[in-house]
Amino acid sequence: MDSLLIAIDYRDPAWIAIAFAFGLLCRQIKLPPMVGFLIAGFVLHLMGAQSGEFLRSIADLGVTLLLFTIGLKLRVSSLLTPEIWGTTTLHMGTTVVLTACLLMGLSVGGVLMFDGMNFSTALIVAFALSFSSTVFAVKTMEDRGAMTSRYGQIAIGVLVMQDIAAVLFLAFSSGKVPSPYALGLLALIPGRHLLWKLMELSGHKELLTVFGFVMALGGAALFEAVGMKGDLGALIFGVLLANHQKGSELAHTLMGFKDVFLVCFFLTIGLTGLPTWETAGAALILLLLVPFKTALFFKIFSFFKVRARASTLASLSLANYSEFGLIVAAIAISAGWLSNEWLTVIALTLSASFILAAPFNAFSDRIYNKYRHYLKKHEARTRLAGDEDISLKGNLILVFGMGRVGCAAYDQIDAMVDGQILGIDQDDREVARQLEGGRNVLRGDATNPEFWSRVEGDKSEIQLILLAMPNPRANRLAAEQLRALGYHGPIVATAKFQEDVEKLKEAGIDRVYNIYAEAGTGAANHMREFLKPDETLERRARSAGL
């Protein structure tokens, strides 16, 4: 107990409570709670607070769990596609060169802290600014239910490629060469079957949660032990478990822990350094590069044949700076290339990019719809695999979201409509599994206004649409898109919580089923088979005194 009291400063819980208050306030004005957490960090720093060991440790744990859960949802084959490795290479190279030239121009002009900066230092700072935040992008996409969407997979792929570049930089800059024992990590590839067996034996509750922590932290520790970056180890261990059928369940189990721990991460960003007029001015100049960074992402994505909407949303999710910039700044300061004030500059720039990017991501669909006709002019004529035109002809019912609920509904209705039913899911792997099972399924995103533009011919044959996606916001967005595009037929949706039912009905959905309540009703119907009707009526009569 004494060691726990030493580790946890009495102010740490109060700071987390303040973060909650600011997060709740931001949620009321339709902004992501992470904006409130960042603001809370700045407010606390202005009040004289400093980040303690407890907050930093929990923040590190949150980032480790985040990378592990990314690995659980990552498809390694997707990293080899041109729109990912090509975009990452072109964007980083262009950004580094142009940003370094700008910094040298500011140095020659004697502007603020840029005065006297040499070209090698400018390249290092430019390299740090070429990264986007994995934490911010993934958290934003999780809130939107877009982790398995086309743009979500593209953005995650770019972030992973950037992480690989970060690992290489850290290895070269620190002069730390991986141990020869690092070659032994290759044994993890065949050894993943043992990990799969352990995950199966862990069941579905607390033991599975503990297994997830052991894999994430153990993977990080193993990679650190052989001279590799620990975060990369957490990511790799997640990838090793990704193809198992319980991988998505494990990611869902760890989600709550990860979200809580990341609160401390956003707090520590705001607590990094107290700004001055000079550091704030330098941060503002660097912040002006974000629009250029975003536009460049969009242009390169479009060049690699990504549709306009996916290019827009992926670019907005990457329109920020990365916490990796703080690591680069620390390395440069320790080497004597930068003054200590640069750590504050990078922290301010990073935090401000988060705050500015949050509302743009929250309203990204509205932004795209407003400028849709202009953005589509940049679209390539040829399509990527999975983005081709599709036909709904011969189908009476559409089921969006082919998870457990969607599959059960599909199977029940299939015979009623003589096979004239089509399942639609945005996850490639799920679509492949459903096709192997004999179901008529294709890849598509119901929240994407471009989905219906891919549909050939008359859509009037559709008589009913079921929205069975696990994220209520995705179901709501899909309904709004359908109504806006002129679909007047019945829409049915599923929800987990009663508070989501009314919101879904307001979006134009005709009927909403609470899957937990329906499960209870279904159980009761099965129980009725075991009751003897005559005895039941007799007991009721006796209890009523008849």
Side-chain angles (χ1 to χ4, degrees):
M1 185 65 181
D2 290 339
S3 60
L4 180 63
L5 291 176
I6 293 172
I8 303 178
D9 190 287
Y10 72 93
R11 292 164 294 190
D12 290 335
W15 293 353
I16 296 174
I18 292 173
F20 167 77
F22 277 93
L24 184 62
L25 179 62
C26 284
R27 187 174 186 272
Q28 303 310 307
I29 57 176
K30 309 300 182 183
L31 287 177
M34 74 175 75
V35 177
F37 304 151
L38 284 167
I39 295 174
F42 278 115
V43 170
L44 286 167
H45 204 155
L46 290 172
M47 295 170 60
Q50 293 183 349
S51 178
E53 185 62 32
F54 172 76
L55 284 180
R56 286 193 293 269
S57 298
I58 296 299
D60 291 342
L61 179 57
V63 173
T64 300
L65 286 178
L66 172 71
L67 290 167
F68 179 69
T69 54
I70 289 174
L72 289 171
K73 301 175 182 179
L74 182 65
R75 293 166 294 180
V76 177
S77 59
S78 67
L79 301 179
L80 304 178
T81 59
E83 64 270 20
I84 291 180
W85 68 261
T87 296
T88 307
T89 304
L90 284 175
H91 190 275
M92 291 191 72
T94 305
T95 301
V96 169
V97 172
L98 294 182
T99 302
C101 291
L102 173 64
L103 294 178
M104 286 306 299
L106 294 171
S107 175
V108 172
V111 178
L112 298 174
M113 298 176 58
F114 303 99
D115 186 18
M117 178 181 286
N118 58 44
F119 188 67
S120 60
T121 304
L123 280 176
I124 293 173
V125 174
F127 180 70
L129 297 177
S130 68
F131 289 80
S132 297
S133 172
T134 301
V135 178
F136 179 91
V138 172
K139 191 71 180 68
T140 299
M141 287 185 285
E142 283 182 345
D143 291 341
R144 291 172 54 85
M147 284 294 291
T148 56
S149 66
R150 166 69 76 175
Y151 90 86
Q153 288 293 307
I154 290 174
I156 292 297
V158 170
L159 290 165
V160 171
M161 293 298 290
Q162 288 183 350
D163 284 344
I164 293 173
V167 171
L168 295 175
F169 171 81
L170 290 175
F172 284 111
S173 63
S174 61
K176 185 178 180 181
V177 180
S179 165
Y181 294 108
L183 293 174
L185 295 175
L186 294 174
L188 291 171
I189 298 175
R192 69 186 186 280
H193 297 289
L194 175 61
L195 300 181
W196 289 359
K197 186 62 177 179
L198 289 174
M199 185 160 60
E200 291 173 2
L201 295 174
S202 298
H204 299 280
K205 294 185 178 181
E206 63 273 8
L207 198 55
L208 182 63
T209 303
V210 175
F211 171 80
F213 272 84
V214 170
M215 291 296 99
L217 300 179
L222 178 61
F223 272 59
E224 288 282 359
V226 295
M228 303 279 285
K229 194 168 182 283
D231 289 343
L232 180 64
L235 177 70
I236 295 298
F237 265 67
V239 171
L240 292 172
L241 299 172
N243 288 328
H244 193 276
Q245 60 184 2
K246 292 189 70 173
S248 57
E249 180 185 352
L250 179 59
H252 180 75
T253 300
L254 296 175
M255 185 178 296
F257 293 98
K258 169 180 62 65
D259 289 343
V260 172
F261 295 157
L262 286 177
V263 172
C264 295
F265 168 80
F266 290 112
L267 268 178
T268 55
I269 293 296
L271 288 166
T272 301
L274 196 63
T276 63
W277 287 111
E278 189 174 15
T279 57
L284 179 60
I285 292 174
L286 296 179
L287 196 63
L288 296 176
L289 295 172
V290 172
F292 162 75
K293 183 178 182 179
T294 309
L296 183 61
F297 266 126
F298 176 82
K299 194 66 179 175
I300 298 176
F301 282 138
S302 299
F303 174 77
F304 284 110
K305 305 175 185 179
V306 179
R307 282 184 179 260
R309 180 183 182 270
S311 296
T312 302
L313 270 60
S315 299
L316 289 174
S317 66
L318 299 170
N320 51 71
Y321 290 124
S322 172
E323 52 280 358
F324 178 69
L326 295 173
I327 300 174
V328 173
I331 292 173
I333 290 170
S334 63
W337 300 330
L338 292 174
S339 61
N340 291 330
E341 290 80 7
W342 272 99
L343 193 63
T344 302
V345 173
I346 299 294
L348 284 173
T349 309
L350 170 65
S351 303
S353 72
F354 283 4
I355 293 172
L356 290 178
F360 280 98
N361 280 274
F363 302 109
S364 56
D365 284 306
R366 296 184 186 180
I367 294 171
Y368 173 74
N369 289 333
K370 184 175 181 179
Y371 300 103
R372 176 182 175 184
H373 296 293
Y374 170 75
L375 295 170
K376 282 182 66 65
K377 292 179 181 178
H378 298 271
E379 229 175 31
R381 292 184 178 180
T382 54
R383 304 295 184 202
L384 292 174
D387 268 354
E388 306 91 346
D389 292 337
I390 57 177
S391 175
L392 300 179
K393 189 175 181 180
N395 294 292
L396 302 179
I397 296 177
L398 302 180
V399 178
F400 285 92
M402 291 299 291
R404 284 175 292 183
V405 176
C407 286
Y410 182 105
D411 293 339
Q412 288 290 322
I413 301 172
D414 188 21
M416 300 180 190
V417 295
D418 195 24
Q420 293 179 294
I421 180 172
L422 176 65
I424 302 167
D425 199 280
Q426 62 181 3
D427 190 338
D428 286 337
R429 289 178 292 186
E430 188 61 47
V431 171
R433 282 194 292 266
Q434 298 298 334
L435 290 173
E436 290 175 1
R439 298 185 180 93
N440 181 27
V441 180
L442 60 82
R443 187 185 187 282
D445 182 1
T447 66
N448 188 341
E450 298 306 320
F451 173 79
W452 294 104
S453 69
R454 296 171 55 198
V455 177
E456 298 175 331
D458 188 10
K459 311 176 189 66
S460 61
E461 294 183 29
I462 305 301
Q463 297 180 6
L464 175 65
I465 293 177
L466 170 63
L467 302 176
M469 292 173 284
N471 188 294
R473 188 174 186 275
N475 286 333
R476 189 171 70 252
L477 285 173
E480 291 172 351
Q481 294 288 347
L482 287 166
R483 295 308 188 197
L485 292 168
Y487 175 74
H488 301 294
I491 301 177
V492 178
T494 61
K496 294 181 180 179
F497 304 105
Q498 190 60 34
E499 62 196 58
D500 294 322
V501 173
E502 293 303 320
K503 293 180 181 179
L504 290 170
K505 289 182 177 179
E506 291 172 2
I509 295 175
D510 299 282
R511 186 166 297 179
V512 182
Y513 289 97
N514 186 317
I515 58 177
Y516 292 145
E518 292 297 317
T521 302
N525 289 334
H526 286 295
M527 292 167 64
R528 191 177 298 147
E529 300 174 5
F530 296 94
L531 293 175
K532 296 180 180 179
D534 295 340
E535 293 181 6
T536 303
L537 291 174
E538 185 178 345
R539 285 199 301 273
R540 289 180 178 175
R542 284 201 301 267
S543 64
L546 299 177

